[in-house]
Amino acid sequence: MVLLFFKILGGEASKNFARSDISFGFGWLGDPPGFSIREGIDLQPNSGIRALAVGGLNTLRVAFSGIVAATLLGTVIGVARLSKNFIVSKLASFYIETIRNVPLLLQMFFWQVLLQSRSSLTEESVGTKLFDVSNKGIASTWVFPSTGFWPWLLIMIGGYYLARKVARTRRKYQEDTGEDGHPGLFGFLTILGVAIVGWFVHPLLSFLSILWDGIGNLIGAVPAASVSLLIAGLAVAVAAIWIKRFLDTKRTPAGLGKLTDDDIFRMIFAGVSALVIVWIAFKVGGAIINKPDGTDASVAAVLRDGLANIFYWFGDKFTGEAGSPLAISRPVVEVRGTGGFIQYGTTGILATVAFASVWIAVTLYTAAFIAEIIRGGILAVAKGQTEASQALGLRRSQYLRLIVLPQAFRIILPPLGNQYLNLAKNTSLGTALAFGEIVAVGSTLMNQTGQSLPIVLVWMAFYLTLSLSLSGVVNYYNRRMALVER
Amino acid sequence: MTDHLAPLDLAELAPEKPPSGPVLWIKENLASTWISAVLSVLAIGFAAWGFRGAVLWLFAPDRRWDAVIANMKLLSVHSYPEAQLARVWLSVGIVFVLIAALLAWNRVGGKVAPRQLSKVLLTVGIALLAVGILMPPGAEKWETLGNRMLWLVGGVVLAGIGAVLTRLPDSRRKAETVPIMGVVGVALLGIITFLQTATMAFPIPGSPAPENAADRIFEATPIAKSTANPWTAIIVFAVLTFVVMSWFRSRTEGEGAGVRRLLVSLIVASFPIIVLAILRDPAINPETLQKFVVTGIIFAVAGAAAMYWFGAQEAGESRRAVASIVTLVAFIVLVFPGILPLPSSITPFTEPFLFRLLLLAFALFALAAPTFGGAGAALHRYVAGWVGTAVIITYAIILITTESTVDVPGNFFLGGLGLTFVLSITAITLSFPLGVLLALGRTSSMPLFRMMSTAYIELVRGVPLITWLIVAFVMLPVTLPEGIELSGVMRALIFMTLFSAAYLAENVRGGLQSIGKGQAEAAQALGLSTLQMTVFITLPQALRAVIPALVGQVIAIFKDTSLVTIVGLFDFLHIARSAINQQSQPYNFVGVFLEPLLFAAAVYWIFTFTVSRMSLRLEKKLGVGER
Amino acid sequence: MSVANNKDVIICEGVKKWFGDFQALKGVNATVKEQEVVVVIGPSGSGKSTFIRCINRLEAHQEGTIIVDGIELTNDVRNIDKIRSEVGMVFQQFNLFPHLTILDNIALAPLWVRKQPRGEVEEEAMALLERVGIPEQADKFPGQLSGGQQQRVAIARALAMKPKIMLFDEPTSALDPEMIKEVLDVMKELARSGMTMIVVTHEMGFAREVADRVLFFDYGLVVEEGTPDHFFENPQHDRTKLFLSQIL
């Protein structure tokens, strides 16, 4: 009955689609979208898929920086609310009750209005700044990678492992002798030393550029068909291994346990995803991705060339040129063009009004919820744990670090992951502020092409990937944190 | 302990008063360590700085509060015709009176100790005093609200009463003697006095906006009688209702559950009646009315007779099968009117859409009849339930299908805060049953239901609400069958409902999973069918267990209705954000953004905060979360 | 075994304590001598748990003085730290750290408070596990042990700090009857080894067998005290008689 309903509704829909001259398809992904985006990695995207990628990256940019900031702020406020100090805890409650009872969209509008009512840039403001807020946005000094950054980074990765080894040796020394070995201090000094030495010696690594180029050439020479085969094989193998492992977790000594529908659903989903990847690897070609120069290419070829290009690009960075790997860049207010248009220059980092409003709003809003989660988590660690630690003579800082936080973290993590996901989804309200995130770009594309269903599918794929990766991370930590129970 | 206790050392046993006093309090709560003391100083400084800044900003003479004051009607109901505003007042009045009656019947209120009251009075009084002291020069421009003396006097009076209460002898101070409702009554009296006597700073119509906002000229205008009088009447009526109902309650023995149920159903029923009949004011046409009434009566009467057959105790599986077939047919007939047109012999007397809807309702009732019917009285009640449902559906369809007399530009008669309420209350009420069904589906043992519910819930929750609203406004018009058109409000309503149902379903599922197996086993041991077990045993417990989460969801829906702003509906936020600052006639409010937004924030805050506090109370009362 | 001439290690004078408006202790006077085993009994809500929790300042008393091993308990953090490292405590609910192994539970405080080397600490921890009879559980987690085993680990954990005084707050009240004995046996062994102990318990058999002195608490006061024989055979106070008649 329900199937019948869907069938008839679907038929009705396609009839209507036909009537309104829209055919379902993905051709628009390759067509120039005919609009520009206000901010992002590419302001004039030359294809639909590129526009969506710019929007998606803008979403991720707000979401991830927002997650970091909201976690820090939320933790501080959550702990403050638990404080024995009357006024501190009341201030924290005030923050939480104010922020979470007002619609997020309204808060975004509020920050937008506040920023837009800042004075505009004038002749007097021309010059180099440290930090500047105006109705054009927030400009700040920032540190950017510069000459020799990549070789230096490579040295730093080596330094990290060296520091870990040093710290471990020092800890062992401490445990063996009982004397304080200062493992943290030694580790820090090691990495600092490596950083300083690397700062000057990184040109020595220039010989590696030959290696990177060689790898790039090697990858570029692989025929596209075998890349397709490789991708397909990998997808099938990953899916098969995942299903096998999944079944193993359900296996009890008495044989295979009862599988719930959710389990079967997941396995089917894994299989279908693998098949979709196989299909894309072999089938999808020029119809979807028109390269800018007009040549068609299959997904496999594009991937291969992309990977090779990464290595070429990497090779270019190992020039052997001496110089500081990091450069501090300060924002500039300058007169641009002949019309005397006053704007921020390209140096420093600039958050547009839309970006800043969305970012501030989602950060403050989510921080209020995170604070409540942190507070609940700490309260949920039984009082007896603190008392037992105190009775043993542990200091406050010690038992918080060794006893309370590890246990609270377990309770906090799942709802925290949920809040991260909410934050990521809430950035979509930026569409009301003309912030070019994925929903705003998508709905503009919808209006231009009339392709609503495919764009909804793209949205779903985007948010689904986001939520799966977030819950993947959360589950990983959750498993590591799980308590062993009888 | 036991009562036959030897009376020993009574003098020594009498408890002493704990060491107390302001110095000790400060030592324990503000300066338990020196870090805490430093923090306190910083925090107090920060709070004082923030409070001072807020007062200076709020009362500054160049604030544009006139944009809010002059647009109260726009913010509340958008372009609802002035001439028909009485309908709005009637609606608000009905809600207030019904709630007052329910509160009285539930004996809400009780008494509070003077000590607690004195704390509140002292805090509020000192806050008012601080506002009066910090108020910037020029605030008197805001008339009553900017009157420094009023704030000072009010603060002194409240703080004074609070201080006097702390001086009561200990036994009287701790005894719960002050009736809460008395305090509320005094507050309401204060509100009425304010409404009737206060003056507002109203801009002079047509006056050009001066360069400097502080130079604007206002007229001292009393609050319009067309606002003050209805509110006064509503408050008076509500208080009277409360008093009368309390009197009746005090004379009633026992629980009074019957009256409570009646009041709750009246409140639930009042919402659609207010929206569809009072606010929308349908112009009912006697000729078409006939068709509706005839259809309704036929279904009510013939359906009742049939229901006795379907629900009879000796009814076997065959009658259920008949009901299933009727359901299937009714469903197809309703959703795809083109497939099975009604026979031409009955069309002159019936309204086709109502006919189809009633047919489906009848079929569903018949399907469930064996479960809830049965012996004598139960069956009679069930049949009465059917007749009531048929009447309600008929009435609702009559109201919905009739043209509205409310003449407004655009296609929905209500906007502003009114629309926000209509959207959120409708979405909450409609999504609740849907969410419960989805939760039951997801936990059911039938794979098809489970798969479909799971897929639906995950699909809907996978992407943000705004994408669904965009879909509703871009895609829905294309997928609907020809001939059916939905207004923007309806589209938003449908998608908000579908969206929040998925979230509610997850909350309810949590509740269902928290119920022990023992309950289900006990129910089965008593011989209840699966449906009976779910409706009578499992579901009530599950819902009770997740009340906090459900209230959280209700608040979330209320806040989320603001998203319809993005797709262009004139809800509260939309008007506050972009309608007021486009006005240049008769007042010039172009470029006024912040004040209306902050006002909207305060209104949203008051409602969500109240609901969340009420849910905390309810939680405590029901003992949810305690084991 | 007489402890009458040993010096006082715990001296309480006029200790008062309130929770909000409720007065839990109404001026408790008590002394405990070195190597003495004092059993505290009394009805629930009589203040006996609050009393021993004041001794290592898990609760802060508001009036009166408590002197432990010559150090007076005040708000001074250094004094509190010193006393806590000399007074071990065992709780009714065990309060083991569920995220650490049994061995780590025991080793935690010596490592972080006494800053002893790990090898030494682990050796001692194993020795303590031998003493309480469960060395084979060293690498398990608390959740995998029975209640009796958990409580024995808790005792070992408290002993790892080499305390001079041990406080037991109803150590057997949360245990199944068959597990009570294994815990009491460990406690008896500890008492015989000469440890100063204050034990809040409802185990009258244990009190008779091990205690040097019994304190009876009610209404936040020490109503009666005496040697076990004196106390159980010849109670003076009506309240004590009533309590004993109900419990025995």
Side-chain angles (χ1 to χ4, degrees):
Chain A
M1 187 167 85
V2 178
L3 290 180
L4 186 71
F5 170 72
F6 275 110
K7 187 149 185 285
I8 297 176
L9 198 64
E12 202 63 55
S14 55
K15 236 191 297 172
N16 284 323
F17 272 126
R19 203 170 54 223
S20 52
D21 259 351
I22 298 167
S23 59
F24 176 86
F26 281 94
W28 53 272
L29 279 175
D31 299 337
F35 61 86
S36 62
I37 302 175
R38 280 202 212 162
E39 62 189 301
I41 48 165
D42 186 351
L43 305 185
Q44 301 286 341
N46 55 17
S47 65
I49 194 165
R50 181 103 179 134
L52 283 172
V54 175
L57 271 177
N58 279 341
T59 300
L60 292 180
R61 210 152 57 103
V62 185
F64 279 104
S65 55
I67 281 173
V68 172
T71 310
L72 293 177
L73 184 63
T75 312
V76 170
I77 292 171
V79 172
R81 195 164 181 198
L82 282 174
S83 163
K84 270 195 209 160
N85 188 309
F86 179 78
I87 182 114
V88 169
S89 102
K90 280 281 179 264
L91 275 179
S93 308
F94 176 76
Y95 172 87
I96 292 170
E97 294 296 356
T98 314
I99 293 283
R100 71 171 181 182
N101 283 321
V102 174
L104 175 61
L105 185 60
L106 199 159
Q107 296 187 37
M108 282 186 189
F109 290 155
F110 174 80
W111 294 111
Q112 187 192 28
V113 168
L114 220 56
L115 283 172
Q116 280 173 346
S117 64
R118 300 284 306 194
S119 57
S120 51
L121 295 172
T122 57
E123 306 254 336
E124 287 98 76
S125 49
V126 170
T128 311
K129 309 276 175 185
L130 209 59
F131 184 83
D132 196 57
V133 184
S134 73
N135 66 355
K136 290 273 188 298
I138 302 173
S140 168
T141 307
W142 203 249
V143 177
F144 288 105
S146 177
T147 332
F149 173 77
W150 295 101
W152 183 69
L153 191 70
L154 205 64
I155 296 173
M156 288 297 283
I157 293 172
Y160 170 72
Y161 282 101
L162 188 67
R164 260 178 46 165
K165 203 170 155 51
V166 168
R168 216 174 292 143
T169 323
R170 294 303 300 177
R171 193 165 301 129
K172 193 161 182 320
Y173 170 80
Q174 176 179 347
E175 287 172 356
D176 288 347
T177 62
E179 282 169 47
D180 207 337
H182 301 294
L185 183 67
F186 271 82
F188 176 74
L189 285 179
T190 312
I191 204 153
L192 194 69
V194 171
I196 293 171
V197 174
W199 195 271
F200 297 104
V201 303
H202 65 80
L204 296 179
L205 289 184
S206 63
F207 69 91
L208 283 173
S209 77
I210 303 163
L211 181 69
W212 303 133
D213 287 347
I215 297 175
N217 286 336
L218 215 64
I219 293 172
V222 176
S226 53
V227 175
S228 299
L229 213 61
L230 189 72
I231 295 171
L234 263 177
V236 171
V238 167
I241 291 172
W242 187 86
I243 291 176
K244 188 181 173 300
R245 286 218 184 132
F246 186 74
L247 283 176
D248 283 347
T249 62
K250 300 281 160 189
R251 218 178 285 280
T252 57
L256 194 58
K258 198 169 172 297
L259 291 173
T260 66
D261 288 323
D262 272 4
D263 298 339
I264 295 173
F265 192 73
R266 273 185 216 172
M267 288 195 292
I268 292 175
F269 184 75
V272 171
S273 321
L275 290 180
V276 168
I277 293 175
V278 171
W279 177 75
I280 290 175
F282 281 107
K283 264 291 187 243
V284 180
I288 285 195
I289 303 158
N290 293 336
K291 290 172 89 179
D293 55 7
T295 56
D296 286 1
S298 68
V299 166
V302 170
L303 276 179
R304 176 198 61 194
D305 295 347
L307 197 63
N309 280 338
I310 290 176
F311 280 98
Y312 290 139
W313 178 86
F314 214 53
D316 287 348
K317 297 289 168 190
F318 284 67
T319 52
E321 212 177 317
S324 67
L326 295 175
I328 293 170
S329 164
R330 290 172 61 183
V332 187
V333 178
E334 60 187 21
V335 183
R336 221 188 274 173
T338 47
F341 196 45
I342 302 168
Q343 263 197 329
Y344 287 111
T346 48
T347 53
I349 198 161
L350 173 68
T352 58
V353 169
F355 180 94
S357 319
V358 174
W359 186 85
I360 296 173
V362 292
T363 302
L364 295 184
Y365 190 73
T366 315
F369 289 90
I370 290 180
E372 283 296 86
I373 290 170
I374 302 266
R375 170 171 163 265
I378 293 178
L379 281 181
V381 176
K383 201 162 163 255
Q385 293 290 310
T386 324
E387 290 182 346
S389 325
Q390 286 175 338
L392 286 170
L394 292 173
R395 296 239 184 80
R396 191 179 153 80
S397 60
Q398 286 177 330
Y399 68 72
L400 279 181
R401 183 160 50 96
L402 297 168
I403 306 297
V404 178
L405 285 184
Q407 293 183 56
F409 199 57
R410 261 184 331 114
I411 303 164
I412 289 168
L413 206 56
L416 195 64
N418 243 340
Q419 284 307 325
Y420 289 168
L421 200 57
N422 282 349
L423 187 150
K425 284 191 209 159
N426 279 337
T427 57
S428 63
L429 297 193
T431 185
L433 277 65
F435 173 58
E437 43 72 61
I438 191 158
V439 173
V441 173
S443 56
T444 314
L445 275 171
M446 241 186 220
N447 289 334
Q448 302 236 327
T449 63
Q451 290 285 358
S452 33
L453 189 62
I455 287 169
V456 173
L457 289 178
V458 170
W459 282 340
M460 281 185 178
F462 178 79
Y463 284 107
L464 193 69
T465 317
L466 202 63
S467 74
L468 282 181
S469 7
L470 266 173
S471 63
V473 172
V474 169
N475 283 343
Y476 171 74
Y477 277 104
N478 228 2
R479 254 201 311 278
R480 274 184 45 162
M481 294 277 162
L483 286 185
V484 184
E485 297 275 356
R486 201 144 55 126
Chain B
M1 273 296 110
T2 44
D3 45 9
H4 51 283
L5 187 70
L8 56 108
D9 310 318
L10 270 182
E12 219 178 325
L13 289 175
E16 301 162 284
K17 273 172 75 175
S20 62
V23 179
L24 194 72
W25 187 88
I26 288 175
K27 206 176 157 213
E28 276 178 5
N29 293 293
L30 294 179
S32 51
T33 60
W34 67 266
I35 298 178
S36 175
V38 172
L39 266 181
S40 297
V41 171
L42 288 179
I44 290 173
F46 177 74
W49 172 79
F51 188 78
R52 181 173 168 275
V55 172
L56 287 181
W57 191 89
L58 287 170
F59 289 92
D62 61 342
R63 282 283 81 69
R64 304 296 306 261
W65 294 120
D66 42 326
V68 176
I69 295 169
N71 279 305
M72 277 299 179
K73 194 221 140 202
L74 192 71
L75 284 164
S76 317
V77 286
H78 195 206
S79 44
Y80 203 81
E82 295 276 353
Q84 280 162 303
L85 274 184
R87 295 177 173 276
V88 176
W89 293 116
L90 180 63
S91 312
V92 178
I94 290 174
V95 172
F96 270 61
V97 165
L98 282 176
I99 289 176
L102 185 68
L103 291 181
W105 199 257
N106 279 347
R107 292 205 173 111
V108 169
K111 291 181 172 169
V112 65
R115 186 165 66 152
Q116 263 167 314
L117 186 66
S118 74
K119 257 190 211 165
V120 177
L121 288 178
L122 271 174
T123 319
V124 176
I126 291 171
L128 294 187
L129 261 177
V131 172
I133 292 167
L134 293 172
M135 212 176 260
E140 59 279 358
K141 200 165 196 165
W142 298 111
E143 295 299 325
T144 307
L145 287 176
N147 188 333
R148 189 189 302 268
M149 274 320 280
L150 267 183
W151 288 89
L152 291 177
V153 170
V156 167
V157 168
L158 288 186
I161 299 175
V164 168
L165 286 180
T166 57
R167 294 280 158 232
L168 286 178
D170 208 45
S171 54
R172 286 186 56 198
R173 208 160 59 87
K174 281 188 191 166
E176 304 202 328
T177 49
V178 185
I180 294 177
M181 280 304 155
V183 179
V184 174
V186 172
L188 288 177
L189 206 62
I191 292 177
I192 291 178
T193 321
F194 181 83
L195 284 169
Q196 294 294 344
T197 60
T199 49
M200 289 282 142
F202 214 71
I204 295 172
S207 64
E211 280 292 294
N212 186 352
D215 297 340
R216 282 161 309 148
I217 307 161
F218 293 137
E219 265 180 318
T221 321
I223 295 175
K225 286 292 163 240
S226 57
T227 306
N229 289 344
W231 273 119
T232 309
I234 287 168
I235 292 174
V236 169
F237 270 115
V239 170
L240 281 181
T241 315
F242 188 87
V243 172
V244 171
M245 282 305 272
S246 301
W247 183 75
F248 272 119
R249 182 70 178 109
S250 65
R251 293 172 53 97
T252 324
E253 303 275 315
E255 279 284 292
V259 178
R260 181 178 307 140
R261 221 174 295 146
L262 179 72
L263 284 172
V264 171
S265 11
L266 274 179
I267 289 176
V268 172
S270 71
F271 177 69
I273 292 177
I274 284 173
V275 175
L276 295 175
I278 301 181
L279 289 179
R280 194 167 174 275
D281 188 22
I284 292 174
N285 175 351
E287 272 175 44
T288 47
L289 185 66
Q290 226 175 358
K291 277 188 178 182
F292 285 102
V293 173
V294 169
T295 315
I297 290 177
I298 289 173
F299 263 95
V301 175
M307 212 58 74
Y308 275 110
W309 184 73
F310 279 113
Q313 212 164 19
E314 69 276 9
E317 283 304 303
S318 58
R319 291 187 192 177
R320 209 187 263 260
V322 173
S324 311
I325 294 169
V326 176
T327 311
L328 184 64
V329 172
F331 191 78
I332 296 172
V333 167
L334 177 68
V335 179
F336 310 107
I339 292 177
L340 276 179
L342 295 182
S344 56
S345 53
I346 62 165
T347 38
F349 313 106
T350 56
E351 219 300 311
F353 181 66
L354 178 64
F355 184 90
R356 296 186 180 111
L357 201 65
L358 281 173
L359 188 63
L360 183 62
F362 168 75
L364 291 175
F365 254 79
L367 201 59
T371 309
F372 298 99
L379 189 55
H380 290 313
R381 229 180 296 136
Y382 191 71
V383 173
W386 157 249
V387 174
T389 312
V391 170
I392 290 171
I393 291 178
T394 311
Y395 184 53
I397 295 299
I398 290 173
L399 292 179
I400 293 172
T401 51
T402 320
E403 286 284 308
S404 168
T405 62
V406 180
D407 182 29
V408 292
N411 55 13
F412 198 72
F413 60 93
L414 202 58
L417 193 59
L419 177 61
T420 296
F421 272 119
V422 168
L423 276 179
S424 46
I425 297 178
T426 320
I428 289 162
T429 21
L430 294 184
S431 67
F432 189 73
L434 190 58
V436 170
L437 280 183
L438 281 169
L440 289 175
R442 198 168 181 179
T443 50
S444 101
S445 51
M446 280 179 269
L448 181 68
F449 283 159
R450 208 167 359 155
M451 285 264 194
M452 277 173 35
S453 311
T454 310
Y456 174 85
I457 291 170
E458 294 304 328
L459 193 73
V460 169
R461 282 158 45 98
V463 288
L465 171 59
I466 183 61
T467 57
W468 290 122
L469 287 177
I470 291 173
V471 166
F473 278 74
V474 178
M475 228 166 100
L476 197 62
V478 197
T479 46
L480 277 177
E482 221 170 329
I484 294 185
E485 269 182 40
L486 286 174
S487 71
V489 171
M490 282 305 269
R491 277 183 253 168
L493 204 52
I494 291 170
F495 273 75
M496 298 245 358
T497 308
L498 294 177
F499 184 80
S500 62
Y503 277 82
L504 275 173
E506 282 302 87
N507 290 333
V508 176
R509 180 167 77 117
L512 284 171
Q513 285 171 342
S514 74
I515 293 171
K517 255 201 169 130
Q519 292 294 323
E521 282 165 3
Q524 278 161 348
L526 287 172
L528 297 181
S529 73
T530 313
L531 188 60
Q532 286 168 329
M533 179 185 80
T534 312
V535 173
F536 299 127
I537 310 289
T538 336
L539 205 50
Q541 292 189 44
L543 291 181
R544 216 186 91 141
V546 292
I547 283 176
L550 292 181
V551 176
Q553 196 53 40
V554 166
I555 292 175
I557 297 172
F558 180 65
K559 286 190 289 179
D560 279 350
T561 51
S562 61
L563 264 64
V564 298
T565 300
I566 300 177
V567 287
L569 297 189
F570 277 84
D571 77 320
F572 190 45
L573 179 58
H574 193 138
I575 292 170
R577 192 226 180 188
S578 45
I580 290 176
N581 57 49
Q582 287 170 9
Q583 295 172 338
S584 54
Q585 286 294 331
Y587 316 112
N588 189 352
F589 294 137
V590 173
V592 181
F593 290 97
L594 213 47
E595 287 84 354
L597 262 187
L598 281 177
F599 175 74
V603 172
Y604 276 111
W605 186 86
I606 288 170
F607 284 109
T608 39
F609 186 73
T610 315
V611 172
S612 70
R613 276 300 132 111
M614 269 162 37
S615 103
L616 269 185
R617 278 258 180 102
L618 188 68
E619 248 173 79
K620 268 191 197 143
K621 204 172 144 197
L622 292 175
V624 178
E626 284 164 28
R627 292 164 197 224
Chain C
M1 187 171 67
S2 167
V3 293
N5 298 326
N6 290 4
K7 69 171 176 120
D8 295 342
V9 280
I10 300 175
I11 303 165
C12 301
E13 272 170 16
V15 177
K16 294 181 183 175
K17 164 81 190 164
W18 287 264
F19 293 107
D21 278 345
F22 173 74
Q23 191 173 12
L25 298 180
K26 296 175 182 166
V28 174
N29 299 312
T31 52
V32 177
K33 292 181 186 303
E34 212 161 26
Q35 299 199 330
E36 192 176 27
V37 177
V38 175
V39 169
V40 181
I41 61 172
S44 55
S46 60
K48 52 193 195 308
S49 280
T50 310
F51 169 63
I52 72 164
R53 287 157 62 86
C54 279
I55 292 175
N56 66 351
R57 213 173 173 80
L58 285 181
E59 307 283 359
H61 61 283
Q62 282 142 313
E63 283 177 21
T65 50
I66 300 177
I67 299 169
V68 179
D69 203 22
I71 306 166
E72 182 174 353
L73 277 176
T74 58
N75 270 330
D76 192 332
V77 182
R78 281 162 305 174
N79 283 353
I80 296 172
D81 280 347
K82 192 152 185 335
I83 286 167
R84 281 185 180 156
S85 63
E86 286 180 11
V87 180
M89 181 148 184
V90 176
F91 299 86
Q92 181 179 356
Q93 299 296 341
F94 329 138
N95 293 345
L96 293 180
F97 306 129
H99 60 302
L100 301 177
T101 62
I102 298 305
L103 197 67
D104 287 338
N105 259 282
I106 300 173
L108 184 83
L111 267 179
W112 290 95
V113 181
R114 290 214 192 278
K115 302 230 188 291
Q116 286 171 272
R118 179 173 271 275
E120 199 177 296
V121 168
E122 285 186 354
E123 234 168 75
E124 284 174 13
M126 279 312 293
L128 282 168
L129 278 178
E130 300 265 4
R131 188 168 166 193
V132 299
I134 38 173
E136 72 281 359
Q137 310 285 6
D139 291 326
K140 289 197 179 159
F141 285 89
Q144 296 168 298
L145 266 56
S146 75
Q149 290 171 324
Q150 287 195 45
Q151 193 61 297
R152 283 188 276 164
V153 173
I155 295 174
R157 180 177 71 176
L159 288 176
M161 286 294 287
K162 305 194 181 74
K164 291 183 180 163
I165 303 162
M166 284 284 282
L167 307 176
F168 292 83
D169 188 2
E170 306 204 16
T172 54
S173 298
L175 295 176
D176 292 341
E178 69 266 30
M179 294 170 183
I180 291 178
K181 188 178 170 295
E182 63 187 57
V183 173
L184 289 182
D185 285 346
V186 172
M187 287 166 64
K188 284 174 195 164
E189 188 268 334
L190 200 59
R192 276 193 293 274
S193 74
M195 174 69 76
T196 313
M197 288 163 65
I198 303 182
V199 185
V200 173
T201 187
H202 294 298
E203 296 295 327
M204 296 303 148
F206 175 81
R208 267 177 211 226
E209 188 184 336
V210 184
D212 296 308
R213 204 144 48 88
V214 179
L215 300 186
F216 176 67
F217 257 73
D218 203 359
Y219 295 103
L221 283 170
V222 181
V223 174
E224 186 165 355
E225 64 171 287
T227 61
D229 295 339
H230 171 85
F231 183 83
F232 286 107
E233 305 309 329
N234 192 13
Q236 299 296 305
H237 212 288
D238 292 343
R239 187 69 196 90
T240 320
K241 288 177 194 162
L242 180 68
F243 179 74
L244 288 176
S245 73
Q246 282 168 343
I247 204 163
L248 293 178

